[in-house]
Amino acid sequence: MGFSHPIFARLFARASVAMDEAGAAAHRRRLVAGLHGRVVEVGAGNGRNLSHYPPAVTGVLAVEPEPRLRALARAAAPDAGVPVTVTAGLAQALPVTDGAADAVVFSLVLCSVPDQAVALREARRVLRPGGELRFYEHVAASTRGLRRAQRLADATLWPLFCAGCHSGRDTMAAIRAAGFTVTELDRFRFPARGIPAPASPHVLGAATRS
């Protein structure tokens, strides 16, 4: 169960290393700090988050549909400080039983899922009552000019070259509409310097299953 984007996978694997060197690694650490128990990471990519999970996590199920990225995540798993299982799967049909997870992690993936509402319903399904959603995503801009650029990008070549990614989604509204209560939220631009790009507005935070 999955899909293949070989060119994007190769480019993303290289770009993620450069992103971490530019400061994304610190955001990844914040994303998973304080987690414990059983974690499901949706769209684990090439596994750049895995080394940041704290010791209180008893296991991570890393779900990744793209085969080349999944292979890279499997190669990264032994270097994580916690048990990791990497598996194929889709955000809209997670291979996890109801209420089995203490936390679900989305990291730069809600921009590209076919339907945010469906993916977030799945996250809510697999979370135990009171379980926690963690998210690190690029989102719709707060300024009119950049929102216009996002709409133009999303209507033309951006999704085609970025494996279905949409730069201007209102992800926070989708999280709340899916039945989550946001408990932590940080909005920032990444990269922090330079001219803002369509994917530069980011959010990082946590929400609980209402």
Side-chain angles (χ1 to χ4, degrees), residues 1 27-28 45 50 60 79 109 119 187 199:
M1 185 183 294
H27 299 317
R28 296 183 193 278
L50 299 179
V60 176
D79 294 328
V109 67
R187 294 182 181 270

Side-chain angles (χ1 to χ4, degrees), residues 141-165:
S142 59
T143 59
R144 184 178 302 175
L146 191 50
R147 281 200 305 271
R148 189 179 300 116
Q150 288 177 327
R151 286 195 295 270
L152 177 62
D154 291 348
T156 53
L157 297 178
W158 190 278
L160 178 64
F161 287 109
C162 298
C165 171

Side-chain angles (χ1 to χ4, degrees), residues 14 37 75 77 126 157 171 203 207:
R14 294 172 185 168
V126 305
L157 297 178
T171 299
V203 293

Side-chain angles (χ1 to χ4, degrees), residues 8-210:
F8 171 79
R10 285 194 291 270
L11 292 174
F12 179 81
R14 294 172 185 168
S16 64
V17 175
M19 287 166 58
D20 280 2
E21 291 172 351
H27 299 317
R28 296 183 193 278
R29 282 192 293 272
R30 285 201 297 149
L31 173 68
V32 300
L35 288 181
H36 64 276
R38 298 164 295 180
V39 177
V40 177
E41 182 174 337
V42 184
N46 54 337
R48 300 296 294 185
N49 291 333
L50 299 179
S51 64
H52 299 297
Y53 280 100
V57 170
T58 56
V60 176
L61 179 66
V63 180
E64 173 51 51
E66 210 293 321
R68 289 158 186 82
L69 293 176
R70 189 166 63 247
L72 292 172
R74 285 194 174 118
D79 294 328
V82 300
V84 175
T85 301
V86 180
T87 188
L90 298 171
Q92 60 266 35
L94 295 173
V96 184
T97 57
D98 294 0
D102 295 294
V104 172
V105 173
F106 284 104
S107 177
L108 304 177
V109 67
L110 285 170
C111 57
S112 59
V113 296
D115 190 318
Q116 284 188 322
V118 173
L120 288 162
R121 275 202 305 269
E122 268 294 274
R124 194 174 189 277
R125 177 186 67 79
V126 305
L127 274 172
R128 64 169 174 77
E132 193 170 32
L133 180 75
R134 296 287 184 94
F135 52 88
Y136 168 36
E137 299 286 341
H138 65 80
V139 296
S142 59
T143 59
R144 184 178 302 175
L146 191 50
R147 281 200 305 271
R148 189 179 300 116
Q150 288 177 327
R151 286 195 295 270
L152 177 62
D154 291 348
T156 53
L157 297 178
W158 190 278
L160 178 64
F161 287 109
C162 298
C165 171
H166 291 75
S167 64
R169 285 182 169 175
D170 190 349
T171 299
M172 295 312 305
I175 289 172
R176 293 185 175 101
F180 291 95
T181 300
V182 176
T183 56
E184 297 179 31
L185 179 61
D186 181 21
R187 294 182 181 270
F188 56 94
R189 199 178 91 190
F190 182 84
R193 298 179 179 178
I195 299 173
S200 57
H202 280 62
V203 293
L204 191 155
T208 55
R209 174 181 161 177
S210 303

